[in-house]
Amino acid sequence: KNQVEQSPQSLIILEGKNCTLQCNYTVSPFSNLRWYKQDTGRGPVSLTIMTFSENTKSNGRYTATLDADTKQSSLHITASQLSDSASYICVPGGGATNKLIFGTGTLLAVQP
Amino acid sequence: DVKVTQSSRYLVKRTGEKVFLECVQDMDHENMFWYRQDPGLGLRLIYFSYDVKMKEKGDIPEGYSVSREKKERFSLILESASTNQTSMYLCASSASSGTVNTEAFFGQGTRLTVV
């Protein structure tokens, strides 16, 4: 069964600090992986997508990495801001289906 | 600006009632989804539709049914609401393309409470 595991479950950091969120997946076949950000009380919004051939991709202060061999991805947030407080969810994609299976996410709280 | 609209932001229903949650998208997307989100469990897929009148069960379809008579509208139906269906319900849509995992666009969510 395709599975997605994210760690840590929750994280508290001080404003200005960096952090790294992890995603392990067992989706097969694998095509790409997308990271979403979900603010409290809102639906998730896509941050970035990585194909199996990409190792690193940046979107402002967010940098995603992907290791398709070990089936791991990470999301690194640099110089965190209060507005980064949210849940971050990874969604691996593959096969012939467009059915999306979301990980449980990492809940990040950035404190002043 | 892309838009997925859910009919209600908050809903309170009684046990045993039939409940309809409506979702409309204006992006001409082929795929539409219904998820429920509970603390600690993340988003769990209830049903998925990849075309008009086509549907596929997700991970937790029990107690739910769906209807997609038009491309832009996807309805979630709770045949007989129960208290364990109290949750946040999120609708999403995405385009079909040559690749999988196209970006999903979400509605604002419906917080359903069954009393």
Side-chain angles (χ1 to χ4, degrees), chain A residues 1 9 31-34 36 38 41-46 49 87 89 91-105, chain B residues 9 31 33 35 37 40-43 45 48 56-59 88 90 94-97 99-109:
Chain A
K1 183 180 178 181
Q9 270 194 319
S31 298
N32 53 41
L33 185 141
R34 192 181 288 275
Y36 285 83
Q38 185 179 18
R42 304 179 74 95
V45 175
S46 178
I49 184 168
S87 184
I89 308 167
V91 182
T97 179
N98 277 302
K99 189 162 72 173
L100 300 179
I101 304 296
F102 283 70
T104 53
Chain B
R9 191 81 171 95
N31 305 313
F33 310 81
Y35 294 89
Q37 186 170 32
L41 297 178
L43 277 84
L45 182 63
F48 161 55
E56 197 172 306
K57 291 181 180 178
D59 295 325
M88 170 68 87
L90 286 159
S94 71
S96 283
S97 69
T99 60
V100 295
N101 208 357
T102 53
E103 183 176 358
F105 295 88
F106 283 82
Q108 77 277 27

Short mmCIF file of all heavy atoms in Angstrom, two decimals, chain A residues 1 9 31-34 36 38 41-46 49 87 89 91-105, chain B residues 9 31 33 35 37 40-43 45 48 56-59 88 90 94-97 99-109:
data_model
loop_
_atom_site.label_atom_id
_atom_site.label_comp_id
_atom_site.label_asym_id
_atom_site.label_seq_id
_atom_site.Cartn_x
_atom_site.Cartn_y
_atom_site.Cartn_z
N LYS A 1 0.84 -1.18 0.00
CA LYS A 1 0.00 0.00 0.00
C LYS A 1 0.89 1.25 0.00
O LYS A 1 1.88 1.32 0.71
CB LYS A 1 -0.89 0.01 1.26
CG LYS A 1 -1.85 1.17 1.31
CD LYS A 1 -2.69 1.12 2.58
CE LYS A 1 -3.60 2.33 2.65
NZ LYS A 1 -4.41 2.32 3.87
N GLN A 9 6.14 15.39 13.73
CA GLN A 9 4.69 15.67 13.68
C GLN A 9 4.44 17.14 13.90
O GLN A 9 3.56 17.74 13.28
CB GLN A 9 3.96 14.87 14.74
CG GLN A 9 3.48 13.51 14.28
CD GLN A 9 2.48 12.91 15.24
OE1 GLN A 9 2.64 13.00 16.45
NE2 GLN A 9 1.45 12.28 14.71
N SER A 31 6.62 9.36 -9.77
CA SER A 31 6.85 10.35 -10.83
C SER A 31 7.35 11.68 -10.27
O SER A 31 8.27 12.29 -10.83
CB SER A 31 5.57 10.62 -11.62
OG SER A 31 5.12 9.47 -12.27
N ASN A 32 6.69 12.15 -9.21
CA ASN A 32 7.03 13.47 -8.69
C ASN A 32 6.52 13.59 -7.27
O ASN A 32 5.80 12.72 -6.76
CB ASN A 32 6.44 14.57 -9.58
CG ASN A 32 4.95 14.39 -9.79
OD1 ASN A 32 4.21 14.04 -8.87
ND2 ASN A 32 4.49 14.63 -11.01
N LEU A 33 6.89 14.67 -6.61
CA LEU A 33 6.45 14.91 -5.24
C LEU A 33 6.16 16.40 -5.08
O LEU A 33 6.98 17.24 -5.48
CB LEU A 33 7.51 14.45 -4.24
CG LEU A 33 7.11 14.54 -2.75
CD1 LEU A 33 7.66 13.33 -2.00
CD2 LEU A 33 7.58 15.82 -2.12
N ARG A 34 5.04 16.68 -4.48
CA ARG A 34 4.62 18.07 -4.31
C ARG A 34 4.52 18.38 -2.82
O ARG A 34 4.05 17.55 -2.03
CB ARG A 34 3.27 18.29 -5.00
CG ARG A 34 2.87 19.75 -5.12
CD ARG A 34 1.50 19.87 -5.80
NE ARG A 34 1.50 19.57 -7.21
CZ ARG A 34 1.80 20.43 -8.17
NH1 ARG A 34 2.11 21.66 -7.86
NH2 ARG A 34 1.75 20.08 -9.44
N TYR A 36 2.82 20.99 -0.03
CA TYR A 36 1.76 21.96 0.18
C TYR A 36 1.95 22.64 1.54
O TYR A 36 2.47 22.04 2.48
CB TYR A 36 0.39 21.28 0.19
CG TYR A 36 -0.13 20.85 -1.16
CD1 TYR A 36 0.26 19.64 -1.73
CD2 TYR A 36 -1.04 21.63 -1.88
CE1 TYR A 36 -0.22 19.23 -2.97
CE2 TYR A 36 -1.53 21.23 -3.11
CZ TYR A 36 -1.12 20.03 -3.64
OH TYR A 36 -1.61 19.62 -4.87
N GLN A 38 -0.46 24.49 4.44
CA GLN A 38 -1.84 24.70 4.84
C GLN A 38 -1.88 25.62 6.06
O GLN A 38 -1.50 25.23 7.16
CB GLN A 38 -2.55 23.38 5.16
CG GLN A 38 -4.03 23.56 5.47
CD GLN A 38 -4.75 22.27 5.75
OE1 GLN A 38 -4.14 21.25 6.04
NE2 GLN A 38 -6.09 22.29 5.65
N GLY A 41 -7.26 26.82 9.20
CA GLY A 41 -8.58 27.19 8.73
C GLY A 41 -8.71 27.37 7.23
O GLY A 41 -9.75 27.84 6.75
N ARG A 42 -7.69 27.01 6.49
CA ARG A 42 -7.72 27.14 5.03
C ARG A 42 -7.32 25.84 4.35
O ARG A 42 -6.79 24.93 4.99
CB ARG A 42 -6.79 28.26 4.59
CG ARG A 42 -7.08 29.59 5.23
CD ARG A 42 -6.10 30.64 4.75
NE ARG A 42 -6.39 31.06 3.40
CZ ARG A 42 -7.11 32.14 3.09
NH1 ARG A 42 -7.63 32.87 4.03
NH2 ARG A 42 -7.30 32.48 1.83
N GLY A 43 -7.58 25.75 3.06
CA GLY A 43 -7.16 24.58 2.32
C GLY A 43 -5.68 24.66 1.97
O GLY A 43 -5.09 25.74 1.96
N PRO A 44 -5.03 23.52 1.70
CA PRO A 44 -3.61 23.52 1.33
C PRO A 44 -3.36 24.26 0.02
O PRO A 44 -4.22 24.28 -0.87
CB PRO A 44 -3.30 22.03 1.16
CG PRO A 44 -4.35 21.31 1.93
CD PRO A 44 -5.58 22.17 1.80
N VAL A 45 -2.17 24.84 -0.08
CA VAL A 45 -1.74 25.54 -1.28
C VAL A 45 -0.38 24.99 -1.69
O VAL A 45 0.50 24.81 -0.85
CB VAL A 45 -1.65 27.06 -1.04
CG1 VAL A 45 -1.07 27.77 -2.27
CG2 VAL A 45 -3.01 27.63 -0.70
N SER A 46 -0.20 24.72 -2.98
CA SER A 46 1.05 24.13 -3.45
C SER A 46 2.22 25.10 -3.30
O SER A 46 2.13 26.28 -3.64
CB SER A 46 0.89 23.73 -4.92
OG SER A 46 2.09 23.21 -5.42
N ILE A 49 6.86 21.58 -6.68
CA ILE A 49 6.80 20.19 -7.14
C ILE A 49 8.17 19.77 -7.64
O ILE A 49 8.88 20.58 -8.25
CB ILE A 49 5.74 19.98 -8.24
CG1 ILE A 49 5.65 18.49 -8.62
CG2 ILE A 49 6.02 20.85 -9.46
CD1 ILE A 49 4.46 18.13 -9.46
N SER A 87 0.76 24.04 8.54
CA SER A 87 1.03 22.62 8.38
C SER A 87 1.63 22.42 6.99
O SER A 87 1.18 23.02 6.02
CB SER A 87 -0.27 21.82 8.51
OG SER A 87 -0.02 20.45 8.45
N ILE A 89 2.65 19.66 4.09
CA ILE A 89 2.21 18.32 3.69
C ILE A 89 2.89 17.93 2.40
O ILE A 89 2.95 18.72 1.45
CB ILE A 89 0.68 18.30 3.48
CG1 ILE A 89 -0.05 18.87 4.70
CG2 ILE A 89 0.20 16.87 3.21
CD1 ILE A 89 -1.51 19.18 4.44
N VAL A 91 3.03 15.30 -0.89
CA VAL A 91 2.14 14.46 -1.69
C VAL A 91 2.94 13.85 -2.83
O VAL A 91 3.24 14.52 -3.82
CB VAL A 91 0.97 15.28 -2.26
CG1 VAL A 91 0.02 14.38 -3.06
CG2 VAL A 91 0.22 15.98 -1.15
N PRO A 92 3.30 12.57 -2.71
CA PRO A 92 4.01 11.93 -3.82
C PRO A 92 3.01 11.49 -4.88
O PRO A 92 1.88 11.12 -4.57
CB PRO A 92 4.68 10.73 -3.16
CG PRO A 92 3.81 10.42 -1.99
CD PRO A 92 3.17 11.70 -1.56
N GLY A 93 3.44 11.53 -6.14
CA GLY A 93 2.56 11.12 -7.23
C GLY A 93 3.23 10.08 -8.10
O GLY A 93 4.45 10.05 -8.23
N GLY A 94 2.42 9.22 -8.69
CA GLY A 94 3.00 8.22 -9.57
C GLY A 94 1.94 7.33 -10.16
O GLY A 94 0.76 7.41 -9.80
N GLY A 95 2.34 6.47 -11.08
CA GLY A 95 1.38 5.58 -11.70
C GLY A 95 0.50 6.32 -12.67
O GLY A 95 0.79 7.42 -13.11
N ALA A 96 -0.62 5.71 -12.98
CA ALA A 96 -1.51 6.27 -13.99
C ALA A 96 -2.67 7.02 -13.37
O ALA A 96 -3.58 7.46 -14.08
CB ALA A 96 -2.04 5.15 -14.87
N THR A 97 -2.65 7.20 -12.08
CA THR A 97 -3.80 7.80 -11.43
C THR A 97 -3.53 9.23 -11.01
O THR A 97 -2.41 9.59 -10.68
CB THR A 97 -4.24 6.99 -10.20
OG1 THR A 97 -5.36 7.65 -9.58
CG2 THR A 97 -3.13 6.90 -9.18
N ASN A 98 -4.56 10.05 -11.03
CA ASN A 98 -4.47 11.40 -10.49
C ASN A 98 -5.05 11.48 -9.09
O ASN A 98 -5.28 12.56 -8.58
CB ASN A 98 -5.20 12.39 -11.41
CG ASN A 98 -4.32 12.82 -12.56
OD1 ASN A 98 -3.23 13.36 -12.34
ND2 ASN A 98 -4.75 12.59 -13.78
N LYS A 99 -5.28 10.32 -8.48
CA LYS A 99 -5.78 10.31 -7.11
C LYS A 99 -4.66 10.76 -6.19
O LYS A 99 -3.55 10.23 -6.24
CB LYS A 99 -6.23 8.90 -6.76
CG LYS A 99 -6.97 8.79 -5.45
CD LYS A 99 -7.77 7.50 -5.36
CE LYS A 99 -6.91 6.30 -5.17
NZ LYS A 99 -7.72 5.08 -4.91
N LEU A 100 -4.94 11.75 -5.36
CA LEU A 100 -3.91 12.34 -4.51
C LEU A 100 -4.01 11.83 -3.09
O LEU A 100 -5.08 11.91 -2.47
CB LEU A 100 -4.05 13.87 -4.52
CG LEU A 100 -3.93 14.54 -5.88
CD1 LEU A 100 -4.13 16.04 -5.74
CD2 LEU A 100 -2.59 14.23 -6.52
N ILE A 101 -2.91 11.31 -2.57
CA ILE A 101 -2.85 10.84 -1.19
C ILE A 101 -1.93 11.78 -0.42
O ILE A 101 -0.73 11.88 -0.75
CB ILE A 101 -2.33 9.39 -1.12
CG1 ILE A 101 -3.21 8.46 -1.98
CG2 ILE A 101 -2.29 8.93 0.33
CD1 ILE A 101 -4.62 8.35 -1.51
N PHE A 102 -2.48 12.42 0.60
CA PHE A 102 -1.72 13.39 1.37
C PHE A 102 -1.09 12.74 2.59
O PHE A 102 -1.68 11.86 3.22
CB PHE A 102 -2.64 14.52 1.83
CG PHE A 102 -2.97 15.51 0.76
CD1 PHE A 102 -3.79 15.17 -0.30
CD2 PHE A 102 -2.45 16.80 0.80
CE1 PHE A 102 -4.08 16.08 -1.30
CE2 PHE A 102 -2.73 17.72 -0.20
CZ PHE A 102 -3.55 17.36 -1.25
N GLY A 103 0.12 13.19 2.92
CA GLY A 103 0.72 12.81 4.19
C GLY A 103 0.00 13.53 5.32
O GLY A 103 -0.81 14.43 5.08
N THR A 104 0.31 13.14 6.57
CA THR A 104 -0.37 13.75 7.72
C THR A 104 0.18 15.14 8.03
O THR A 104 -0.43 15.90 8.76
CB THR A 104 -0.25 12.88 8.97
OG1 THR A 104 1.12 12.58 9.18
CG2 THR A 104 -1.03 11.59 8.81
N GLY A 105 1.33 15.45 7.49
CA GLY A 105 1.85 16.80 7.62
C GLY A 105 2.70 17.02 8.86
O GLY A 105 2.69 16.23 9.81
N ARG B 9 -19.57 27.27 5.04
CA ARG B 9 -18.34 27.33 5.83
C ARG B 9 -18.52 26.54 7.13
O ARG B 9 -17.61 25.85 7.56
CB ARG B 9 -18.01 28.78 6.16
CG ARG B 9 -16.64 29.00 6.73
CD ARG B 9 -15.59 29.04 5.64
NE ARG B 9 -14.29 29.46 6.17
CZ ARG B 9 -13.34 28.63 6.56
NH1 ARG B 9 -13.54 27.33 6.52
NH2 ARG B 9 -12.19 29.10 6.99
N ASN B 31 -10.55 16.49 -12.59
CA ASN B 31 -10.51 15.76 -11.33
C ASN B 31 -11.10 16.58 -10.19
O ASN B 31 -10.82 17.78 -10.07
CB ASN B 31 -9.06 15.42 -10.95
CG ASN B 31 -8.33 14.68 -12.04
OD1 ASN B 31 -8.86 13.73 -12.60
ND2 ASN B 31 -7.12 15.12 -12.34
N PHE B 33 -12.11 16.09 -5.81
CA PHE B 33 -11.85 15.27 -4.64
C PHE B 33 -12.66 15.76 -3.45
O PHE B 33 -12.90 16.96 -3.30
CB PHE B 33 -10.37 15.37 -4.23
CG PHE B 33 -9.37 15.14 -5.32
CD1 PHE B 33 -9.04 16.16 -6.20
CD2 PHE B 33 -8.73 13.92 -5.47
CE1 PHE B 33 -8.10 15.97 -7.21
CE2 PHE B 33 -7.80 13.72 -6.46
CZ PHE B 33 -7.48 14.74 -7.33
N TYR B 35 -12.11 15.35 0.73
CA TYR B 35 -11.30 14.89 1.85
C TYR B 35 -11.99 15.29 3.15
O TYR B 35 -12.74 16.25 3.20
CB TYR B 35 -9.92 15.57 1.85
CG TYR B 35 -9.04 15.22 0.68
CD1 TYR B 35 -9.09 15.95 -0.50
CD2 TYR B 35 -8.13 14.17 0.76
CE1 TYR B 35 -8.27 15.63 -1.58
CE2 TYR B 35 -7.30 13.85 -0.30
CZ TYR B 35 -7.38 14.59 -1.47
OH TYR B 35 -6.57 14.27 -2.52
N GLN B 37 -10.65 16.14 7.19
CA GLN B 37 -9.42 16.40 7.92
C GLN B 37 -9.73 16.43 9.40
O GLN B 37 -10.56 17.24 9.86
CB GLN B 37 -8.79 17.73 7.48
CG GLN B 37 -7.45 17.99 8.10
CD GLN B 37 -6.74 19.17 7.48
OE1 GLN B 37 -7.37 20.13 7.04
NE2 GLN B 37 -5.42 19.11 7.42
N GLY B 40 -4.45 15.29 13.82
CA GLY B 40 -3.55 14.16 13.93
C GLY B 40 -3.67 13.13 12.81
O GLY B 40 -2.83 12.23 12.70
N LEU B 41 -4.70 13.26 11.99
CA LEU B 41 -4.91 12.27 10.93
C LEU B 41 -4.68 12.83 9.53
O LEU B 41 -4.69 12.09 8.55
CB LEU B 41 -6.33 11.70 11.01
CG LEU B 41 -6.66 10.94 12.28
CD1 LEU B 41 -8.11 10.48 12.26
CD2 LEU B 41 -5.73 9.73 12.46
N GLY B 42 -4.50 14.12 9.43
CA GLY B 42 -4.25 14.71 8.13
C GLY B 42 -5.47 14.65 7.23
O GLY B 42 -6.60 14.45 7.68
N LEU B 43 -5.25 14.83 5.94
CA LEU B 43 -6.33 14.77 4.96
C LEU B 43 -6.52 13.33 4.50
O LEU B 43 -5.58 12.69 4.04
CB LEU B 43 -6.00 15.63 3.73
CG LEU B 43 -6.27 17.11 3.83
CD1 LEU B 43 -5.11 17.82 4.50
CD2 LEU B 43 -6.52 17.70 2.45
N LEU B 45 -8.72 10.82 2.00
CA LEU B 45 -9.54 10.87 0.79
C LEU B 45 -10.81 10.05 0.96
O LEU B 45 -10.75 8.86 1.28
CB LEU B 45 -8.72 10.36 -0.40
CG LEU B 45 -9.41 10.38 -1.76
CD1 LEU B 45 -9.73 11.81 -2.18
CD2 LEU B 45 -8.52 9.71 -2.80
N PHE B 48 -13.10 10.33 -5.07
CA PHE B 48 -12.38 11.00 -6.14
C PHE B 48 -13.19 10.83 -7.43
O PHE B 48 -13.76 9.76 -7.67
CB PHE B 48 -10.99 10.36 -6.24
CG PHE B 48 -10.26 10.57 -7.53
CD1 PHE B 48 -10.03 11.84 -8.02
CD2 PHE B 48 -9.76 9.48 -8.23
CE1 PHE B 48 -9.32 12.02 -9.19
CE2 PHE B 48 -9.05 9.66 -9.41
CZ PHE B 48 -8.83 10.94 -9.89
N GLU B 56 -14.51 7.22 -7.83
CA GLU B 56 -13.65 6.16 -7.32
C GLU B 56 -13.58 6.32 -5.81
O GLU B 56 -13.45 7.44 -5.31
CB GLU B 56 -12.25 6.31 -7.94
CG GLU B 56 -11.38 5.10 -7.83
CD GLU B 56 -10.09 5.28 -8.62
OE1 GLU B 56 -10.17 5.59 -9.83
OE2 GLU B 56 -9.01 5.11 -8.03
N LYS B 57 -13.67 5.23 -5.10
CA LYS B 57 -13.59 5.30 -3.64
C LYS B 57 -12.19 5.67 -3.20
O LYS B 57 -11.20 5.23 -3.79
CB LYS B 57 -13.98 3.96 -3.02
CG LYS B 57 -15.45 3.62 -3.18
CD LYS B 57 -15.77 2.28 -2.54
CE LYS B 57 -17.24 1.94 -2.70
NZ LYS B 57 -17.57 0.62 -2.12
N GLY B 58 -12.14 6.44 -2.14
CA GLY B 58 -10.86 6.76 -1.51
C GLY B 58 -10.59 5.81 -0.38
O GLY B 58 -11.01 4.65 -0.40
N ASP B 59 -9.95 6.31 0.66
CA ASP B 59 -9.58 5.45 1.78
C ASP B 59 -10.71 5.26 2.79
O ASP B 59 -10.74 4.25 3.49
CB ASP B 59 -8.36 6.05 2.50
CG ASP B 59 -7.13 6.04 1.63
OD1 ASP B 59 -6.97 5.09 0.83
OD2 ASP B 59 -6.34 7.00 1.71
N MET B 88 -13.81 18.51 9.49
CA MET B 88 -13.63 19.52 8.45
C MET B 88 -13.60 18.78 7.11
O MET B 88 -12.83 17.83 6.95
CB MET B 88 -12.31 20.27 8.65
CG MET B 88 -11.93 21.17 7.49
SD MET B 88 -13.00 22.58 7.29
CE MET B 88 -12.20 23.73 8.39
N LEU B 90 -12.98 19.08 3.04
CA LEU B 90 -12.31 19.89 2.03
C LEU B 90 -12.53 19.31 0.65
O LEU B 90 -12.34 18.11 0.42
CB LEU B 90 -10.81 19.97 2.32
CG LEU B 90 -10.40 20.84 3.49
CD1 LEU B 90 -9.04 20.46 4.01
CD2 LEU B 90 -10.40 22.31 3.09
N SER B 94 -8.33 19.33 -9.68
CA SER B 94 -7.05 19.40 -10.38
C SER B 94 -7.27 19.03 -11.84
O SER B 94 -8.25 18.36 -12.18
CB SER B 94 -6.01 18.47 -9.74
OG SER B 94 -6.33 17.11 -9.99
N ALA B 95 -6.34 19.46 -12.67
CA ALA B 95 -6.44 19.16 -14.09
C ALA B 95 -5.82 17.81 -14.40
O ALA B 95 -4.89 17.38 -13.72
CB ALA B 95 -5.72 20.25 -14.89
N SER B 96 -6.33 17.16 -15.39
CA SER B 96 -5.67 15.97 -15.92
C SER B 96 -4.70 16.41 -16.99
O SER B 96 -5.01 17.31 -17.77
CB SER B 96 -6.70 15.00 -16.53
OG SER B 96 -7.38 14.31 -15.54
N SER B 97 -3.53 15.80 -17.01
CA SER B 97 -2.55 16.18 -18.02
C SER B 97 -1.71 14.95 -18.33
O SER B 97 -2.02 13.85 -17.87
CB SER B 97 -1.66 17.33 -17.51
OG SER B 97 -0.83 16.86 -16.49
N THR B 99 1.05 14.34 -17.07
CA THR B 99 1.76 13.93 -15.86
C THR B 99 0.76 13.77 -14.72
O THR B 99 -0.34 14.31 -14.76
CB THR B 99 2.81 14.98 -15.44
OG1 THR B 99 2.13 16.22 -15.20
CG2 THR B 99 3.83 15.18 -16.53
N VAL B 100 1.15 13.06 -13.70
CA VAL B 100 0.30 12.92 -12.52
C VAL B 100 0.66 13.99 -11.50
O VAL B 100 1.62 14.72 -11.65
CB VAL B 100 0.46 11.52 -11.89
CG1 VAL B 100 -0.03 10.45 -12.85
CG2 VAL B 100 1.90 11.26 -11.49
N ASN B 101 -0.13 14.05 -10.44
CA ASN B 101 0.14 14.98 -9.34
C ASN B 101 0.09 16.43 -9.80
O ASN B 101 0.91 17.26 -9.39
CB ASN B 101 1.50 14.67 -8.70
CG ASN B 101 1.53 15.07 -7.23
OD1 ASN B 101 0.57 15.62 -6.71
ND2 ASN B 101 2.65 14.81 -6.58
N THR B 102 -0.86 16.74 -10.69
CA THR B 102 -1.05 18.16 -11.03
C THR B 102 -1.56 18.88 -9.79
O THR B 102 -2.17 18.27 -8.91
CB THR B 102 -2.04 18.31 -12.18
OG1 THR B 102 -3.25 17.61 -11.86
CG2 THR B 102 -1.47 17.73 -13.46
N GLU B 103 -1.34 20.18 -9.74
CA GLU B 103 -1.64 20.94 -8.55
C GLU B 103 -3.13 20.86 -8.20
O GLU B 103 -3.98 21.04 -9.07
CB GLU B 103 -1.24 22.40 -8.74
CG GLU B 103 -1.46 23.26 -7.51
CD GLU B 103 -0.96 24.67 -7.69
OE1 GLU B 103 -0.40 24.96 -8.77
OE2 GLU B 103 -1.13 25.48 -6.76
N ALA B 104 -3.41 20.58 -6.94
CA ALA B 104 -4.79 20.57 -6.46
C ALA B 104 -5.12 21.92 -5.87
O ALA B 104 -4.32 22.50 -5.13
CB ALA B 104 -4.97 19.47 -5.42
N PHE B 105 -6.30 22.41 -6.20
CA PHE B 105 -6.78 23.68 -5.66
C PHE B 105 -7.94 23.36 -4.72
O PHE B 105 -8.86 22.63 -5.09
CB PHE B 105 -7.24 24.60 -6.79
CG PHE B 105 -6.12 25.02 -7.69
CD1 PHE B 105 -5.75 24.24 -8.78
CD2 PHE B 105 -5.41 26.18 -7.43
CE1 PHE B 105 -4.70 24.62 -9.61
CE2 PHE B 105 -4.36 26.57 -8.25
CZ PHE B 105 -4.01 25.78 -9.34
N PHE B 106 -7.87 23.94 -3.54
CA PHE B 106 -8.82 23.59 -2.49
C PHE B 106 -9.84 24.69 -2.25
O PHE B 106 -9.55 25.88 -2.42
CB PHE B 106 -8.07 23.32 -1.19
CG PHE B 106 -7.42 21.98 -1.15
CD1 PHE B 106 -6.19 21.77 -1.75
CD2 PHE B 106 -8.04 20.91 -0.52
CE1 PHE B 106 -5.59 20.52 -1.73
CE2 PHE B 106 -7.44 19.66 -0.49
CZ PHE B 106 -6.22 19.47 -1.10
N GLY B 107 -11.00 24.26 -1.80
CA GLY B 107 -11.99 25.18 -1.28
C GLY B 107 -11.63 25.60 0.14
O GLY B 107 -10.63 25.14 0.69
N GLN B 108 -12.47 26.43 0.72
CA GLN B 108 -12.17 26.98 2.05
C GLN B 108 -12.53 26.01 3.16
O GLN B 108 -12.19 26.24 4.31
CB GLN B 108 -12.91 28.31 2.23
CG GLN B 108 -14.40 28.18 2.55
CD GLN B 108 -15.27 27.99 1.32
OE1 GLN B 108 -14.82 27.47 0.28
NE2 GLN B 108 -16.52 28.39 1.41
N GLY B 109 -13.20 24.91 2.81
CA GLY B 109 -13.55 23.92 3.82
C GLY B 109 -14.92 24.14 4.42
O GLY B 109 -15.42 25.27 4.49
#
